[in-house]
Amino acid sequence: ISAGWNHCVALLSDGSVWTWGWNEYGALGDGTTTTRYVPVKVLTGVDQVAAGTLTTYARKTDGTVWAWGQNSYGGQIGDGTTIDRLSPVQVQGLATGSVAQLAGGGENVYALLTDGTVKAWGFNGSGQLGNGNTTNQSLPVSVSGLTNVKQIAGGRFAGYALLTDGTVRAWGKNEAGQLGNNSTTDSSVPVQVSGLSGVTQISAAAQSAYVLMSDGTVQW
């Protein structure tokens, strides 16, 4: 299960995807903009889902990635346009079978690839795509300098990566110190989160992040 701003998406054990909630921009993917108070079936043959603010993402068992919902806030669908999509469309620029994990940000999304690198696309006003600039991208671009990544997480305007060595990198908006590098300066490229090692899992909220340590404790 993954939750966006005002909608939710559930992946069932049979590979089907169901959505419900607010649907003005098509985040439910049922071909309408009608708000749904009970779940509706959207897609089949899926093994992973993730929700952005008003957009939804799914990785199918054939290795392709699909998205639907709002696309006009920076191209967060990833199909090379800024046209809102009421039904699933395939994300372009990702090799079939290359995506290991999807993580929704706000109006952008992150994809961890099987080679340990990270791609991102969508709104980039605070450098949350991590590619060294603040230009929106309607197709996936590489997050700069990231290798050996084992897990990713997305905040509202920031991205996070857990590396195989147990350290964490962060990038994007930092007005609340959510990058964890002892500053409040935004960064359009990944920076190391200070004082963290031995991390086993990461999770992000709107303006904060959380880590599970190897000793079972949680830090934020």
Side-chain angles (χ1 to χ4, degrees), residues 1 5-6 10 19 42 84 107 113 137 144 146 164 172 183 219:
I1 293 177
W5 183 30
N6 285 316
T19 58
V42 178
D84 295 342
E107 286 71 38
L113 304 189
Q137 299 289 338
S144 300
L146 279 184
T164 54
S183 83
Q219 296 189 33

Side-chain angles (χ1 to χ4, degrees), residues 56-116:
T56 309
Y57 305 88
R59 185 186 68 181
K60 301 193 77 172
T61 54
D62 65 4
T64 58
V65 176
W66 297 70
W68 57 93
Q70 188 187 48
N71 196 29
S72 53
Y73 202 77
Q76 61 265 52
I77 293 290
D79 65 347
T81 78
T82 54
I83 300 169
D84 295 342
R85 302 295 185 180
L86 308 186
S87 300
V89 297
Q90 187 173 348
V91 175
Q92 301 299 305
L94 293 172
T96 299
S98 66
V99 175
Q101 184 199 344
L102 294 167
E107 286 71 38
N108 65 285
V109 65
Y110 305 99
L112 171 60
L113 304 189
T114 55
D115 65 2

